Amino acid sequence: MDKNTLSTWDLVDIVKTKRQASDFTNNLLNLKEKLFKTSQTMDQRLSECLSETQKEKVLSLSEKLGIDINDSKTVESLILLIIKTIREFPTITLCLAFEPSNEFVNSIGEWFISNTNICVLVEITVDYSIIAGAIIVSEGNYIDLSIKKKIDELLQNNQLQIPAISQ
Amino acid sequence: MQLPIEYLISATILASLLLLSLTLYYLYSFHKKESELNVSQESTDKYAQDLLLQAQAKAQTIVEQATNRANHLLLEAGATQDQIQSLLDKAISQLLTQYQHRLDATMERFEQNQKNTYEGVHAAYQEQIGKTVDEIRESTQKELTDFMQTLQKETIEAQRAIGATLNSQLQDIQKELVTYKRDQLQRTNEAISKTILEIAEKTLGKTIRIKDHEKLVIEALSEAKEKGVLTNG
């Protein structure tokens, strides 16, 4: 890995869902706005705009990339790089029949890493009508693997057929 | 002895006629003589006149005598008018009877002739009518036969057309019926499916544990990966 670039692997531990990515992105943009407008210290700006984990991530990435954290200009570059990297995450939309816990959402991200070697952003929607399972949308691909779909297929396959009209 | 009345009447009439004839003959002779004696008119005229007068007197006398004689004969005969009338009536009756018989015979013959004529005419008309009726019957029978054949033919054609139309309509109806059945069955199945899904949604979703939900999600992800839906690194 290039020392002066970031990849999704650098952010996978902090950005697992699209919401988290959006939140982090917004906070970074907010921080970027404050870089040249307030007289606060960088640490104050970081503490004010970012969550604890997000702040730690920014600091670790600046250290990794050899960026002076107190230099607003370099920090701005780092912010833009992070945001750019966040946007490189592929998004997986899952429609579930229940409200998943954060742990489960994290486990989904880990499953993707384990099974596809890809860091993804997971977007969760809830639709109780699908009963169970999931409807998955990945990079424009759609597949319905819900229990509702399976039941529907079973019902359709068991329907009576009308014989053809004999001439 | 009295003579028969008829004889007396005939005699009287005959006598009268005889007398009349004589008188007329005499008058004719006289006239002839008169004409022959026309040369000496005066004497002859006188003579003729005298003769004429004599003749007239004589004729008168003869007629009177004849008349008297006839009357006398009539009186002598004692023929009364009743008897004469009776005889006349009898004669007339006999005559009428004879004429009646003759008339009856004639009428009978006439009637017989008429009857024969009528029967002949009747027989002729019967025969003619019979022939005409036979001709009409044959003609009508033939026309009826032709009509029946034509009617039968057209009826068969019409029945075929109707049969074809009915068959076509029956097939259309059968198709519509099958389509209707299929649609109804489809709707029923859809309703059943919808009901089952609603029940499943309302019951299964609530009965499945969170762990089971999570397990089913991971299984879905695995299935999606197998189907190549997920982004591959």
Side-chain angles (χ1 to χ4, degrees):
Chain A
M1 191 182 295
D2 189 349
K3 191 178 177 182
N4 293 323
T5 61
L6 292 177
S7 71
T8 56
W9 292 102
D10 296 316
L11 299 171
V12 70
D13 56 335
I14 191 173
V15 178
K16 291 187 174 55
T17 67
K18 197 168 183 183
R19 185 186 301 175
Q20 291 172 346
S22 176
D23 181 62
F24 193 26
T25 301
N26 290 334
N27 290 342
L28 287 172
L29 288 173
N30 195 19
L31 175 62
K32 175 174 169 294
E33 290 295 318
K34 289 181 183 293
L35 286 176
F36 303 101
K37 290 184 181 177
T38 65
S39 58
Q40 292 171 316
T41 64
M42 188 60 68
D43 186 65
Q44 286 173 338
R45 294 189 189 109
L46 290 171
S47 296
E48 185 178 317
C49 296
L50 303 176
S51 65
E52 193 63 34
T53 53
Q54 290 171 354
K55 178 182 175 182
E56 286 178 8
K57 175 56 65 176
V58 169
L59 290 174
S60 68
L61 288 176
S62 66
E63 186 177 343
K64 176 188 172 185
L65 295 175
I67 292 173
D68 182 7
I69 196 63
N70 293 313
D71 185 353
S72 296
K73 247 184 147 55
T74 55
V75 170
E76 184 186 19
S77 300
L78 177 62
I79 289 171
L80 293 175
L81 183 59
I82 294 172
I83 291 173
K84 177 178 173 293
T85 305
I86 290 172
R87 287 174 181 164
E88 292 174 358
F89 274 87
T91 303
I92 301 295
T93 303
L94 296 178
C95 180
L96 306 179
F98 68 104
E99 288 284 352
S101 61
N102 290 334
E103 290 80 11
F104 181 67
V105 174
N106 293 337
S107 69
I108 291 174
E110 290 167 4
W111 183 91
F112 268 93
I113 292 170
S114 302
N115 289 274
T116 64
N117 203 31
I118 297 174
C119 301
V120 297
L121 292 178
V122 178
E123 183 178 12
I124 303 294
T125 60
V126 178
D127 183 2
Y128 297 105
S129 68
I130 68 170
I131 304 175
I135 297 175
I136 303 168
V137 180
S138 171
E139 297 297 300
N141 297 320
Y142 174 95
I143 185 167
D144 186 346
L145 296 172
S146 65
I147 296 300
K148 177 181 178 181
K149 179 77 184 303
K150 287 184 169 58
I151 293 174
D152 196 34
E153 287 173 353
L154 284 173
L155 291 172
Q156 287 183 4
N157 290 334
N158 289 332
Q159 285 174 354
L160 296 175
Q161 299 296 323
I162 304 295
I165 299 171
S166 58
Q167 296 295 326
Chain B
M1 174 175 95
Q2 276 194 333
L3 295 172
I5 299 297
E6 292 87 1
Y7 177 74
L8 289 173
I9 293 171
S10 298
T12 303
I13 294 171
L14 188 62
S16 299
L17 288 174
L18 183 62
L19 286 170
L20 187 59
S21 299
L22 285 172
T23 305
L24 289 173
Y25 178 74
Y26 186 78
L27 288 172
Y28 173 69
S29 299
F30 179 77
H31 182 68
K32 186 176 178 182
K33 281 189 177 177
E34 188 183 19
S35 63
E36 286 178 354
L37 296 173
N38 209 11
V39 175
S40 57
Q41 282 189 356
E42 286 181 1
S43 60
T44 56
D45 286 341
K46 190 174 184 314
Y47 181 72
Q49 252 182 350
D50 291 336
L51 284 176
L52 185 62
L53 286 171
Q54 285 176 10
Q56 282 180 351
K58 204 166 190 178
Q60 184 74 24
T61 304
I62 293 170
V63 171
E64 286 176 359
Q65 286 178 355
T67 302
N68 291 333
R69 181 67 181 166
N71 288 332
H72 182 69
L73 285 173
L74 285 172
L75 288 171
E76 280 183 351
T80 63
Q81 288 190 352
D82 292 334
Q83 288 177 340
I84 293 171
Q85 187 66 38
S86 175
L87 288 172
L88 285 173
D89 289 343
K90 185 177 178 183
I92 290 169
S93 175
Q94 287 177 352
L95 194 61
L96 287 175
T97 303
Q98 289 176 1
Y99 276 116
Q100 186 67 38
H101 287 154
R102 289 175 65 183
L103 185 61
D104 291 340
T106 303
M107 286 299 295
E108 189 174 344
R109 285 197 299 277
F110 177 75
E111 287 176 359
Q112 187 64 38
N113 288 337
Q114 286 293 97
K115 184 178 177 183
N116 294 335
T117 302
Y118 173 75
E119 287 177 352
V121 171
H122 180 70
Y125 272 118
Q126 285 284 84
E127 183 180 356
Q128 185 64 34
I129 289 170
K131 289 181 182 177
T132 305
V133 167
D134 290 338
E135 289 173 3
I136 293 172
R137 185 183 297 117
E138 288 177 5
S139 174
T140 305
Q141 186 68 32
K142 183 175 181 302
E143 289 180 4
L144 186 62
T145 304
D146 293 342
F147 173 75
M148 290 300 293
Q149 289 177 350
T150 304
L151 182 65
Q152 186 178 9
K153 184 180 177 184
E154 291 182 0
T155 301
I156 291 171
E157 290 296 326
Q159 285 177 345
R160 283 180 187 163
I162 292 170
T165 304
L166 287 176
N167 199 23
S168 173
Q169 289 179 353
L170 181 63
Q171 289 183 353
D172 292 341
I173 291 171
Q174 284 178 340
K175 287 180 184 176
E176 288 179 6
L177 193 60
V178 170
T179 304
Y180 175 76
K181 283 183 182 176
R182 184 182 290 119
D183 291 343
Q184 288 299 317
L185 197 60
Q186 181 76 18
R187 289 201 189 98
T188 303
N189 287 332
E190 288 173 358
I192 292 171
S193 299
K194 183 180 177 184
T195 303
I196 290 173
L197 286 172
E198 285 177 359
I199 293 171
E201 178 186 329
K202 289 178 182 177
T203 56
L204 286 178
K206 294 178 182 176
T207 56
I208 296 175
R209 297 178 301 173
I210 296 297
K211 288 294 180 187
D212 293 329
H213 272 294
E214 293 174 354
K215 182 181 176 183
L216 289 170
V217 170
I218 298 301
E219 288 178 0
L221 288 171
S222 300
E223 187 177 344
K225 178 191 171 187
E226 287 175 7
K227 292 181 178 179
V229 175
L230 301 179
T231 305
N232 293 320

